[in-house]
Amino acid sequence: MASTTPTPEMTGTRPDQLTLDVVELIGEVVARFHEDYESAAAEHALTGAQARLLSLLCLEPLPMRRLAQQLKCEPSNVTGIVDRLEARGLVERQPNPSDRRVKVAAATTEGRQVARSLRESLRFAREPLAGLSEEERVALRDTLRRMLG
């Protein structure tokens, strides 16, 4: 018999109202961020998925399988996204330095410039955070890091 982790319904305990409020607010922040991100991507003639993939490749070149894991999609979807970004000159395929049989996708100089411009055009985070003091932003950052473990 498989063991199950007790849920609040099983144990008779439910989250308190403060916890429910925080969860709802986090959901609203995420929804607004995604909305702003999609809008910023569209301003650069990118889909949200293309923008996310380009942002990942600005950190380091990655093989398709790893990109698919990061984006939580099928490798075949990633291939299509990379094809479209490559056609625009934003991404290029390169041999993997550690295994030349494997190709990695890498952002081009132009791709890094587009990704930087996209990040700079995000309004949602910048505006509300500007209303917080540096101390409040540090506390928020540290709290979010703790939550993510």
Side-chain angles (χ1 to χ4, degrees):
M1 176 186 242
S3 71
T4 54
T5 304
T7 64
E9 292 76 20
M10 293 168 64
T11 61
T13 62
R14 296 199 182 264
D16 61 277
Q17 189 58 49
L18 177 59
T19 299
L20 292 173
D21 289 347
V22 170
V23 169
E24 187 174 318
L25 289 167
I26 289 172
E28 181 65 23
V29 166
V30 169
R32 287 189 188 181
F33 175 79
H34 281 292
E35 188 177 300
D36 190 33
Y37 196 84
E38 293 287 332
S39 176
E43 289 174 14
H44 291 83
L46 297 170
T47 65
Q50 290 171 336
R52 285 188 294 281
L53 187 142
L54 187 57
S55 292
L56 285 171
L57 293 179
C58 285
L59 300 174
E60 64 179 322
L62 293 169
M64 302 295 179
R65 186 168 307 282
R66 182 89 184 280
L67 282 166
Q69 290 169 342
Q70 292 283 334
L71 295 173
K72 296 177 179 37
C73 67
E74 293 297 317
S76 60
N77 292 345
V78 168
T79 299
I81 295 169
V82 169
D83 287 345
R84 288 184 287 282
L85 291 173
E86 189 173 36
R88 288 187 54 190
L90 303 177
V91 167
E92 63 187 3
R93 287 177 169 90
Q94 304 171 340
N96 186 337
S98 61
D99 184 350
R100 297 188 63 78
R101 296 169 296 171
V102 176
K103 295 279 187 189
V104 296
T108 63
T109 301
E110 184 180 351
R112 285 189 293 278
Q113 289 170 345
V114 168
R116 185 179 319 107
S117 176
L118 188 141
R119 274 191 314 274
E120 290 170 356
S121 69
L122 290 173
R123 291 171 293 280
F124 167 70
R126 186 174 42 243
E127 292 168 5
L129 290 174
L132 301 177
S133 69
E134 182 175 355
E135 184 178 306
E136 290 170 321
R137 290 193 315 270
V138 167
L140 177 59
R141 179 201 62 201
D142 294 348
T143 300
L144 292 171
R145 282 182 176 163
R146 267 200 348 255
M147 286 180 68
L148 295 173

